[in-house]
Amino acid sequence: MKKLSILLILTLALAACARPTPQRTHIRLPMGFVANVQFAPVYVAIEKGYFAAEGIEIEFDYSWETNGVQLVGAGELPFAIASGDQVILARSQGLPVVMFVNWWKRFPVAVVALEESGIRSPQDLAGRKVGIPETFGASYIGWRALASRFGLSDTQLEVIGYGALAKLAEKQVEASVVYANNEPIQLAQAGYKYTLIPVADYATLVSNGLITNERTLQEKPDLVRAFARAFLKGLEDTLADPDAAFEICKRYVEGLEANEAAQRAVLQASLAYWQGQPLGASDPAAWQATAQAMLEAGLLPAPVDATRAFTNDYLP
């Protein structure tokens, strides 16, 4: 009986050794141009093992947003982080990209002006010189939606690249289109008092989320659901404990300690734009409004069926 027990143990041990190790799905994820605290939910999901638990291994790809959209649209990569306007633009060009997690529930573009300018409301922008990074992308769409709502056709719009702080300080522009969770924090850090006009207070537009393509949705729905589950757990944890999330970011974002106060403020400001139940769900009206704003701005050659640009069917 003793020999039989030993033989049984050895047989079970050998069977366990022979069992194949479950393979992980390696995913290269285009995120944005540089590592940043604004990607905290992804870092948290990785650090806490949420992706690993779903059998997913993440490789960061810090490249231009448009590159990620094109690669996903061509079927060369399954997922990327991208903005709603890029999804709509891509679909107008025949790329079958779809947002399956709407991460940023509020559109983060805003107009900022120094307090001394006297600008307090959107109406006060009429006839003023307003700086804008470029005449495309989320900043431009946000501006066009705001200008359309308040009849700001006589505003002097000037392309200034990404030097809003210097342009405002030097009085080269009276206001500037910015991201509400970034440049205003830098102004405050520099001691300036300012007025902030969030576009989201006046227009419901789509911002950043996780995108895939129609083929991946059809052929690998379980992978899409797994990716959404892992990411949203990271987002939930970040919202619940931003201090812990910031500490995790230090392992992924170089040089955070050198500018910790400002970067903590950026993360804190971002939380307000991520909140909203259910997490990850797209608002159909926001997609329609974004597509319409892009069409009116001349960014689309023809109307786009916005209902095909997103799905809520793969959320937990």
Side-chain angles (χ1 to χ4, degrees):
M1 182 65 74
K2 188 175 182 180
K3 287 182 179 179
L4 183 60
S5 298
I6 293 172
L7 182 61
L8 181 60
I9 292 169
L10 288 172
T11 302
L12 291 172
L14 288 170
C17 292
R19 218 174 274 140
T21 303
Q23 286 193 343
R24 288 189 178 180
T25 302
H26 181 88
I27 290 176
R28 180 175 136 214
L29 180 65
M31 297 173 63
F33 188 53
V34 294
N36 193 280
V37 292
Q38 294 175 67
F39 299 130
V42 180
Y43 303 143
V44 170
I46 291 172
E47 195 70 17
K48 293 198 173 184
Y50 297 145
F51 281 114
E54 299 287 356
I56 295 170
E57 181 180 78
I58 300 291
E59 173 191 347
F60 302 130
D61 179 359
Y62 295 113
S63 57
W64 293 109
E65 178 186 28
T66 49
N67 293 348
V69 174
Q70 290 166 2
L71 290 168
V72 171
E76 295 182 34
L77 293 177
F79 306 116
I81 294 173
S83 58
D85 62 280
Q86 288 299 319
V87 171
I88 291 170
L89 183 60
R91 291 196 69 89
S92 76
Q93 298 167 349
L95 293 177
V97 293
V98 181
M99 185 176 288
F100 66 100
V101 173
N102 182 203
W103 170 6
W104 292 69
K105 304 288 280 186
R106 272 173 59 85
F107 193 70
V109 173
V111 177
V112 69
L114 296 183
E115 193 175 75
E116 63 194 54
S117 69
I119 294 171
R120 301 288 183 269
S121 68
Q123 294 91 331
D124 295 332
L125 294 167
R128 303 293 192 110
K129 183 182 285 189
V130 177
I132 193 164
E134 299 287 353
T135 52
F136 58 82
S139 296
Y140 187 56
I141 293 163
W143 167 255
R144 287 298 297 257
L146 195 69
S148 176
R149 169 80 183 271
F150 292 98
L152 303 176
S153 58
D154 62 342
T155 301
Q156 303 171 55
L157 199 62
E158 183 175 317
V159 176
I160 60 172
Y162 294 89
L165 274 63
K167 298 290 186 181
L168 284 167
E170 295 166 6
K171 309 291 191 300
Q172 294 184 35
V173 294
E174 297 170 274
S176 183
V177 181
V178 297
Y179 279 86
N181 62 328
N182 193 350
E183 287 92 345
I185 289 165
Q186 297 177 44
L187 281 172
Q189 293 277 325
Y192 290 100
K193 293 183 178 181
Y194 62 86
T195 297
L196 190 67
I197 303 172
V199 171
D201 287 354
Y202 306 98
T204 303
L205 302 172
V206 180
S207 189
N208 284 27
L210 303 181
I211 69 166
T212 186
N213 53 61
E214 293 175 0
R215 182 175 177 180
T216 300
L217 291 175
Q218 293 166 3
E219 297 181 359
K220 299 180 180 180
D222 290 342
L223 177 61
V224 178
R225 291 189 178 94
F227 202 92
R229 275 194 303 269
F231 171 80
L232 289 172
K233 285 180 180 178
L235 177 56
E236 286 175 351
D237 286 2
T238 302
L239 291 168
D241 193 348
D243 289 336
F246 188 83
E247 292 305 311
I248 288 174
C249 286
K250 289 180 179 179
R251 301 166 203 169
Y252 295 88
V253 183
E254 196 174 327
L256 274 190
E257 293 89 344
N259 196 18
E260 184 163 332
Q263 292 304 308
R264 278 186 183 276
V266 168
L267 177 58
Q268 192 64 42
S270 300
L271 302 180
Y273 290 86
W274 301 343
Q275 293 170 341
Q277 295 298 327
L279 284 180
S282 278
D283 177 2
W287 282 95
Q288 294 286 2
T290 305
Q292 185 61 33
M294 292 179 69
L295 186 65
E296 291 174 358
L299 299 175
L300 298 176
V304 170
D305 182 0
T307 63
R308 300 188 62 188
F310 72 94
T311 178
N312 290 326
D313 294 343
Y314 299 82
L315 298 175

